[in-house]
Amino acid sequence: MERVMKDSLVTVFGGGGFLGRQVAQALMERGARVRVAQRDLASALRVKPLGGLGQTQFVAADIRKPQSVARAIAGSDVVINLVGVLSGDMEGSHHDGAANVAKAAAQAGVQALVHVSAIGADPKSPSAYGRSKAAGEAAVKAAFPHATIIRPSIIFGPEDQFLNRFAELISRLPVVPVIGADTKFQPVYVADVAQAIANAAADPDRHGGKTFELGGPSQISMIDLNRWIAKAIGRERSLVPVPPSIASAIASLGWLPGAPITRDQYAMLQKDNIVSPGAAGLVELGVSPTPMEAVADKWLVRYRRHGRFAGRAKA
């Protein structure tokens, strides 16, 4: 795989984000040159120290604008689209933007296209997020049939807005309301997702035209996840499941700390976010899933009452 990526130019839309920086690093470790394309390049500059001299490029691009996308892709060997939003113009970002990237990649004759969607992408989804992600997948397949579709579950890592969000809430509140208490997730480590994406990009003959669902080694309900976090950060808390009728009202108001910001995000909690039975996943992409408990303590420790010094013996 490394030989395939050596000196290749890979354009990564959204390459400066939480997942993007990990993807960029995984690609550069294989010898690829990475062109980060996104609207705001301020965060993208954090990619530069991850590679060697001349290994990174940066270009301002808005995937909702076809000409902008075409300019960003020009000269690329491989294209990866990581762009995703939880609010705002979902149709423009997930559907129109995905179509623009796939069409431009096809016209440019790139060797491989990896499109990152999400578990829950479904034209019949109760959420606009799920419907727009499904529309994006369909548009990509129509324009670039040999594209690889990656559907992760909730991604966790040092800079996530998942474990950190709940840990912050648990560290502040003695009683923690839990919305979607029974909803199941299959959290997947950001470094594993990045390696899987890089592997897919490096071997389009093997992985092109396929869809992969990425989840970690364990499934866990929302309330059990909160219990696990509370134990991990040494905080004893009362966890209170919020009844659906009240949770729906809270979602529309958005006033409860840690509550979904929009009704659409609450709608996403109505269905489990887990890998489909029999779906190809991390293992088929050459990655061994990392358990949360094996890595999360490295950053969750800051939510302990005495931070990194919690639990140490007194002199």
Side-chain angles (χ1 to χ4, degrees), residues 55-273:
Q55 220 176 352
T56 53
Q57 302 176 13
F58 303 91
V59 57
D62 185 338
I63 66 169
R64 298 172 298 179
K65 300 177 180 179
Q67 291 183 337
S68 174
V69 171
R71 285 195 300 269
I73 288 177
S76 301
D77 299 297
V78 176
V79 173
I80 297 173
N81 180 22
L82 305 177
V83 176
V85 297
L86 290 173
S87 59
D89 188 9
M90 294 187 201
E91 185 67 17
S93 297
H94 298 160
H95 180 199
D96 299 336
N100 291 336
V101 170
K103 290 175 183 176
Q107 291 169 1
V110 305
Q111 299 169 13
L113 170 63
V114 179
H115 175 74
V116 177
S117 181
I119 287 179
D122 184 346
K124 297 181 180 179
S125 172
S127 73
Y129 179 88
R131 294 192 299 273
S132 62
K133 280 291 190 180
E137 288 187 12
V140 168
K141 292 175 183 177
F144 202 111
H146 202 57
T148 302
I149 307 295
I150 303 289
R151 293 176 173 175
S153 183
I154 299 296
I155 301 174
F156 71 91
E159 300 173 345
D160 69 33
Q161 294 298 314
F162 182 60
L163 296 186
N164 285 303
R165 182 183 188 184
F166 295 124
E168 173 67 22
L169 186 65
I170 291 168
S171 70
R172 291 190 290 108
L173 299 179
V175 178
V176 181
V178 181
I179 293 177
D182 295 329
T183 302
K184 292 182 180 179
F185 300 89
Q186 198 165 342
V188 58
Y189 187 37
V190 63
D192 292 346
V193 177
Q195 291 295 333
I197 291 170
N199 289 349
D203 198 350
D205 290 339
R206 182 178 180 184
H207 303 304
K210 298 179 181 179
T211 297
F212 297 88
E213 296 193 0
L214 309 188
S218 301
Q219 298 177 7
I220 189 169
S221 69
M222 180 68 85
I223 197 160
D224 285 340
L225 175 70
N226 277 268
R227 288 193 183 103
W228 182 86
I229 294 171
K231 183 177 180 180
I233 65 175
R235 308 272 188 168
E236 293 186 8
R237 295 291 185 262
S238 296
L239 304 177
V240 181
V242 179
S245 59
I246 297 176
S248 179
I250 289 172
S252 64
L253 296 173
W255 56 265
L256 185 70
I261 299 172
T262 67
R263 276 189 173 276
D264 195 72
Q265 291 173 36
Y266 175 66
M268 291 164 59
L269 290 174
Q270 304 312 300
K271 187 175 181 181
D272 292 340
N273 194 282

Side-chain angles (χ1 to χ4, degrees), residues 25-56:
Q25 185 169 14
L27 293 168
M28 289 187 287
E29 287 173 351
R30 290 162 166 77
R33 293 173 293 134
V34 174
R35 177 186 290 162
V36 176
Q38 61 187 53
R39 283 186 293 169
D40 178 13
L41 291 180
S43 63
L45 295 178
R46 295 175 62 185
V47 173
K48 196 167 186 177
L50 303 179
L53 184 64
Q55 220 176 352
T56 53

